[in-house]
Amino acid sequence: ALKTLAELSISPKHVQRITERLGEERQRQRDADVVAHQARTLMPRHAEPPAVAAIHLDAGKIQRRDDAGPPGVRDPRWADTKIACCLTYAPRSGTDDPQPDPPAVFLDRPSVMRLCGEMKRVRNGSAASQDPPREKASEPPQDSPEIERPQRLVRTAVATLGSAEPFGWMVAAEAKRRGFFEAAKRGILGDGAAWIWTLAATFFDGWTQTLDFLHLLTHLYDA
């Protein structure tokens, strides 16, 4: 890929060594930030706090294999990941909701049935035979009017294969490093999983907790 896209000739083994070295450096810095935050000595990198800060929390799946030994795939398996996307936004004027009603596509019954069926299959690993029944296709919904979307400024991320509590410290340290606790507006976005709201209540007390709309939609569809 590097040769094709970047016209850079480099051996895969050299790429592996570089990535592992840089990854270890970033891991040491992350762990040092956690220790400093636990000791209450970690300070924001910039004096000016952001106006709007948001943290998106989620879990996922990745494929893993044993690293040691000769070339080839040994002991392939799935593993759970925990990921936090830390974002800052430019503030917007006014207090009105820029889009109080759902986009038209989320009010179109056949579209919602297909979307919820796809999300459930991904989440549960369900068989294709469990698809929801098809309804007669309707006319494509009218496009929603253009809305004022927030301007995203800076995005960083932390992730782990570990448990929720150490992950919470990683996210809190990253938020502290970026001055999120001093932001005028602070929010946590999640899919409704209990571990996310527990993490939010433990490490981000007083922040606005927001449920991801698509996961809400699947529960409304079930009802």
Side-chain angles (χ1 to χ4, degrees):
L2 284 171
K3 185 174 181 60
T4 302
L5 301 175
E7 298 180 355
L8 178 64
S9 295
I10 184 171
S11 73
K13 180 57 70 174
H14 192 47
V15 173
Q16 178 183 351
R17 293 191 186 102
I18 292 174
T19 13
E20 289 178 351
R21 176 173 58 82
L22 294 176
E24 290 169 357
E25 290 176 2
R26 296 191 66 179
Q27 181 176 336
R28 286 195 297 270
Q29 182 60 57
R30 180 202 66 191
D31 295 344
D33 287 344
V34 168
V35 171
H37 183 53
Q38 291 173 332
R40 300 181 182 272
T41 59
L42 182 64
M43 301 300 294
R45 298 291 173 90
H46 303 284
E48 185 71 21
V52 181
I55 300 177
H56 299 219
L57 297 170
D58 204 357
K61 295 281 188 182
I62 62 170
Q63 288 183 303
R64 303 196 70 194
R65 63 181 183 180
D66 284 347
D67 294 330
V73 178
R74 293 169 306 283
D75 189 23
R77 62 195 181 278
W78 288 96
D80 295 319
T81 62
K82 296 177 179 63
I83 306 145
C85 186
C86 305
L87 302 111
T88 54
Y89 295 94
R92 61 179 300 273
S93 59
T95 57
D96 295 335
D97 188 336
Q99 187 173 0
D101 298 317
V105 67
F106 296 129
L107 301 177
D108 179 65
R109 184 179 177 88
S111 298
V112 170
M113 291 181 70
R114 288 192 294 271
L115 177 63
C116 291
E118 291 168 1
M119 291 182 66
K120 287 182 179 180
R121 285 197 302 276
V122 171
R123 182 179 60 198
N124 301 329
S126 303
S129 60
Q130 295 177 334
D131 287 352
R134 295 277 184 173
E135 285 198 357
K136 182 180 179 181
S138 61
E139 292 295 323
Q142 297 296 319
D143 291 337
S144 299
E146 193 67 27
I147 64 170
E148 178 190 349
R149 298 187 181 279
Q151 179 188 359
R152 190 176 70 192
L153 301 177
V154 179
R155 178 180 63 183
T156 60
V158 293
T160 184
L161 294 170
S163 57
E165 183 177 355
F167 175 63
W169 281 109
M170 294 177 196
V171 182
E174 178 66 7
K176 182 66 176 180
R177 184 185 72 84
R178 295 192 54 194
F180 278 19
F181 290 97
E182 289 75 35
K185 295 181 179 180
R186 305 178 299 273
I188 296 281
L189 179 71
D191 62 6
W195 74 269
I196 289 181
W197 302 137
T198 300
L199 186 153
T202 302
F203 294 94
F204 302 97
D205 184 36
W207 289 41
T208 300
Q209 297 183 7
T210 304
L211 177 64
D212 173 75
F213 177 78
L214 290 180
H215 287 84
L216 168 64
L217 183 66
T218 60
H219 294 291
L220 291 175
Y221 172 78
D222 287 339

